[in-house]
Every structure is written in C-alpha cells, then in structure tokens.
Amino acid sequence: MTQISDGGGPDNRSVRRVEDRRLLTGQGRFTDDDAPAGAVVAVFLRSPHAHARIRAIDAAPALTRPGVLAVVTGRDLAAAGVGGLACGWQVADRDGRPMVEPPRPLLASERVRHVGDPVAVVLAETAAIGLDALESIVVDYEALPAVTDAAAAVAPGAPQVWPEAPGNLCCPWEIGDAAAVARAFAAAAHVVPIELRNNRLVAAPMEPRAAVASFDAALERYTLVTTTQNPHAVRATLAGSVLGIPEHRLQVICRDVGGGFGTKIFIYPEEAVITWCAGRFRRPVRWTASRIESFQVDAQGRDHVTRAELALDADGGFLGLRVRTLANLGAYLTQAAPGIATFYYAQLLSGVYRIPAIHCEVRLVFTNTTSVDAYRGAGRPEATYVLERLVDKAARATGIDRFALRRRNFIPEEAYPYATPLGLTYDSGNHARTLDIALAAARPVPSPAAAHGSRRRGFGVSTYVEIAGARPTRVTRAQGSRGGRSESALVRVHPSGAVSVFTPMQSNGQGHETTFAQLVADRLGVPMDMVEIVEGDTDRVPFGRGSAASRSLVVGGSAIAKAVDRIAEKARRIAAHMLGCRLEDVILADGRCTDRTGGRSATFAQVARAAHDAVAFPVEEIEPGLEATAFYEPVDWSYPCGCHACEVEVDVETGVVRLLRVIAVDDVGNVINPMIVHGQIHGGLAQGIGQALLEHCRYDPETGQNVTSSLMDYALPRADDLPSFDVHLSPTVCLNNPLGAKGCAEVGSVGVPPAVVNAVLDALAPLGVEHLEMPLTPERVWRAIADARERSSTRAAPERVANLVE
C-alpha cells in the first residue's frame, strides 16, 4: 500500500483502531460466546430438493431420542399464530401495479422452493444429539420440476416457482424515457451492443450467522442476541410481524460481528424460530449456522443477465443508453431485494457520463434458488460493470482511445450539481482528475503487443459513481422506494467529562469505535479514551436503521455530530455563567471553554461537573445535565466516485491471470481516519477482484443443487491472489451532509471488477478475444483464446484455397 494520503477532512488523523486490541488478542465477544447455561441447541432440517411438495412429516421417532426437547414444524408455528417474514421494499410496474409478493413462512409446511429451505427444527441438549435426531425425521416429498436460471425461468413452459407469479415474474419494472432513447438511437452514427452476465456471489463472512434467544417469564420479555447489521430492524420485524408483541417486550443485542457485507442486514427464519421457541419451551435456545447452511440460506448477491446498447455520434459523444436486465431474486423476497435490483441498480446507469437519454427495463424473476439481495455494493457494481464494459467496447468499435472517449463524455466538474436522466442529482465530483491520477500512477501503461513468452500484459480502467447514505423520507416515499431515511444519536456527558455516544449504527468491521470517538473527541477537545461508543442494544441505543449502504459515517456520523454540536453549545452557555462573560465570547477548543476577551477559562470536565451540580447557572434558564439527542434527515444520497485501474499478465497457454497492479483513486469526500478508509477500500477491492477472477455460486440446472456450497468448491480470494494495492484519495466535498463525507465501504467492490476484465481483454485483444464472462477462471480464459484461434484459422482457410487456385 502507498503512503496514506490526506483525505481532505478537518479531522483526518490515521489513529489506530481502538477495537483491534481486543479483537486481535482473542478478547472479542461474538454471538456464539453468549449462550447462557442451560441453553438448548437448535438444529434445522432442510429440504434436499430445490422444489417439492411436502406430503407429510413424521417427527415422532426424533422425539423419542434422549436429549431431544422438541421438534417444531411449520404447522406448529401456524397453529400458534406465528407470522412469516415480509419484504420491506415494494416496487411497481410502469402502470403502477404492485409486484407479486408471495408469503415467506419461517418453516415450509406445504412446499419447499430451494435446497436448504427449512422444514423443521429440533431442540436438543447438544448439537450432536440434534443432528442425530434429524436423521430420524421422515419427510414425504413429492419432487417437482425446478428452475435455477433467470433466463430459463421466463422461457415458455418453465416450471413455476409460485402460482401467483405467472411466468415466474415478480415485476416488470422500468425507468427512463424510452421515446427519447429511440430518437437518440435513430440519430446515432454508432450503436454498440453488449450481452453479459453478472455472476452470483456468496458473502461468506468469517463469522457465520448465529443467534441466542431467551425468555423472561416474570417479565414476559424476550431477548435475542444475534449477528446483524441492524438490531432495531430485527426487533421491529420480529416483534410486529412474527411474534405479534409490543416492541418493548423484545430486546435485541448485537456483540462483535465478524463481517456482514450486506447479508446480515436482514432477519432470517432461524432467528425468528428460535425466539419463539425460547418463549414456548421456557429454555434459552442457541443456533450457529454451519458453513454449508450459510451457502444454502444466506442471501446471495448479483446474478443479472443483461443486454445493453450505447448510441454514439460520429465524434464519440454518448447519445443514449438502452438496458434490458433479468434479475434473479431466488425463491423468496428478502427485505430489500426488489429495490436492490431496480433503484440501486438502474438509477446508476448514467455513471460518470453525460448521457442525455437512458431507458432501463428490469424483469424481477423468481427461481428455485437461495434469495438474492444486498451484497457489498448492492446494485451499483452491476450498473458499473454494464457501463464500463460497454464503454471499452465502444472505444474499440469506434477506434477512439478508451481514455479519450471517457474524458470526452465525463460530467465536467463545473456542471455540478448534475441531474441525470434517471432522477439522481450528483452534488460533486472531478472524474477527469481521478482518471489522471490513476494513469499517472500506472505509467508506463503496458502495451498488449509486448508479449513475454506465453504471457501477455494488459491494462484496464473503470470509472464509477455510486450512491451511499440515504435519501430524505419524502423523496423515497414519492418514488415508491425504501431509501435509508433519518438517523439518530444520543450523546451523554458524565460529571467527569467522559462522553458516552449511543448510536444505532452497528459495526461489523468498519471501526466505529475509533472513527466515531475521533469525531466526538475532536469536536469537544477531549481525549479519545474519554469517549465510549455504545452500539448493538435496542434497550440502550435510540431507534435507527443500522449500518448498510455505506451510511455509518454519512448518516449516523452526521447525527452524532449534530448531537455533539448541541452539547458544545450548552457547554458554552454554562461556561459563560461560570466565567462571568457573554456567550458570544466563549470559545470551546482543545478541551477548554475560554473567554476570549479576558482569558479566563474552564476545562470541559469542570463545565461537565457544573452542568450536573447545577449551582453555577440559573436552572430556570439552563436545564441541568449535559446530554443531547439528535435526528439527522439527509438532504440526498452522497455520491462516492473514482477510477480503478489494473495491470494484468495472462499466460495464453494456461489461461492463468495474474494481477500485477491495482490502482484505486477514490473520491469518498471528507475523511475522518485515512487509515480506516484505506482498510475499507482494501476489503472492497479484494471482494471485487474475487468476483472478477474467482467467485461464482452455481446451481445444477437439473437438480437445483448448489454445486459450490462449501469453501472446497467456492473460490474466495487468498492473500497470494492479490497484489499490494495502490490507493489514492481524491476528495471533493459532499454537499449533502454536514461532515462532507461520501462513504467508502463499497467503492472497492463497485469499481474494480470491470477494470480487471477490461485489462484481460486488453491483453488478449491481439489474439482476437473480444468477450469474457466473470469469473475469469483459467479454463474460461483458455477456452476463449482457443475459440479465437479457431475462428482465426477458419477465416484464413478460404484465403489459402484462393491463393492455391491462383
């Protein structure tokens, strides 16, 4: 990694993460560490079929086994009035007709719709007893035809996943001006098409999902400890939709989380089932997913099939863009799935370019596979991949240099704020600068013509913009989308001057305990070790929507800053009474309140003590105590952007791709801690490279089995797959939040996949390879080279015959 560069923010200090000491020394506390004495273990019976009717379930043999407390089925839950899980984001078609939303039961009772669909749960004294008991449960299945591919699912005669969704169509959604696009294409000098797939991915966080539920009979109150990115959303859904109880009767706690990446945003059937079981059987219940279970049931990502066309004028100016996408949602709608495949995807198709007319159709499709929802980037990587692959292809088709073509169509800095034709208004950015920085860092740019034996080098770039944070509630409601909406924070100053910050954000690796503490310490002038960050407990922290969409600092941090500013204002008022001066003469800096006219001062700790003693000021004017609650309503999304570049070496005899350099130039706005930002970008780059080169969740089209359901079959990137990353921060200040921050957690996964693919195609262009699908495995690359050679040989054959005749 290069030297950490200045992120442009007022507080940009690369303070080491305070949470790392406990995490690196084994002192972290995770959900599975929290099981109370006497807890029973939940073990779930899952469907071996991708699609089947359940004729009968015989659990009696399992109940006779020693150590088995109970077996619960879907019919038991239905008889108890337990509800299912609803989708949290509704979309509609062009005529306003709502999407099809089938039910999502906690345990399947009539039909299973993907391999791993939970059918029953065994509660046992140990996991071993529970697993043995599963073997004795007899389920009479009637196997039914299944479909796993989105294109196959919408073909005539395809097996139907849901009877209420004919043709397996959840919703035909669209955005943009189709008539304007048609006019643009009619006037075009060049029309460049592309067809591509965005491969399905598995999040695979280091810590699998886990939960521990208990019930206090005296208080009639549930407690759920779980791995989540959003404790309050879990409580709201579980209390309201599933258990039918007031929210105050359910406490949700989240300890340290070993990675989330979007897949832990949602509530799943397992957490809901064990919570109900804890109340029904008056025993604490624990569950931790096996790695295979995680592959079978955790929400997955991507899985788009797209055809796109770009219209250009004779000089290479972009005129219009037409996109048609099939988005595979899996068998069930999880909480955000329809919005990820529509608003989070299609609205970003303008990218960093001036494209006057854009129209996109997305058909949301049901299949007999695991649900697809948010995975790091969530819609924005899919949009960037379509656009940046298409721009490179347009450069080859028109003969215009690929960098010049981008520069010609960039949104110029002076055009900001810039309204795209898809309803977004970008507030700031300098795309020419990020490209220039990336190219300068890459010099000399390799030439694909320069071969090194069997190895050829290539260079590729990708320029991107994404959305982060949240939009105002009034805007998202008007659009029919969910958005991120407002956030809250409570900041409490104790009599000693120590500060406790209660935030509904939920760290799953981002470093909140450091960044938020820096934010507060710098504003109040207190040492960082005097600031405590409290997250992950719905009984302690105010309501909020947790960590997703790179919103922790942008929205959650803005709420904290707003509360801290109120604290600072009240501290100045108290200090004015203590110092006997006017309020406007009090300056709070470096941990002291100072009268700028007389030089007298009081430490922040002295002011805090006075606030609680309530003797230094008139209580009829100033309320005792020193704490504030604030809610922050975002003005709009923030728009991180940047340029990623890759240099690769491809062995044309084996198809092996080796990354030589990865350069990331990212505009994430103002930065609190550059080191943490670099770490977040590194993580996103690793996952984006994983998608480009290695990862692919695949289902057998005949049986519906996930054939990559373990780490033996699903290839995650390892250290030796990755080069050192060259990361540069090139900020423009975000105008949509008081911190000027744009969000950084997902930019790596958004920008780098098309840069890698473009680099490999650049290397192989002299061989006639024009297209590759992710992941670029050695076999896939080798076959593309072999096919190109065969095509070249076939074209050359008639010429040789003609020469012989002559």
Side-chain angles (χ1 to χ4, degrees), residues 607-632:
V607 174
R609 173 63 64 182
H612 289 84
D613 290 344
V615 295
F617 54 87
V619 294
E620 63 271 14
E621 294 182 19
I622 304 175
E623 187 178 67
L626 196 55
E627 70 174 58
T629 297
F631 288 83
Y632 172 68

Side-chain angles (χ1 to χ4, degrees), residues 510-534:
Q510 298 95 325
H512 291 180
E513 293 175 50
T514 306
T515 301
F516 289 159
Q518 280 185 263
L519 178 65
V520 174
D522 289 338
R523 271 176 149 72
L524 296 179
V526 301
M528 274 186 62
D529 60 9
M530 293 286 283
V531 181
E532 171 196 29
I533 306 300
V534 180

Side-chain angles (χ1 to χ4, degrees), residues 35-41 69 124-125 282-286:
V40 294
V41 178
L69 175 65
E125 298 296 340
R282 299 300 197 265
R283 290 279 299 274
V285 184
R286 64 188 296 186

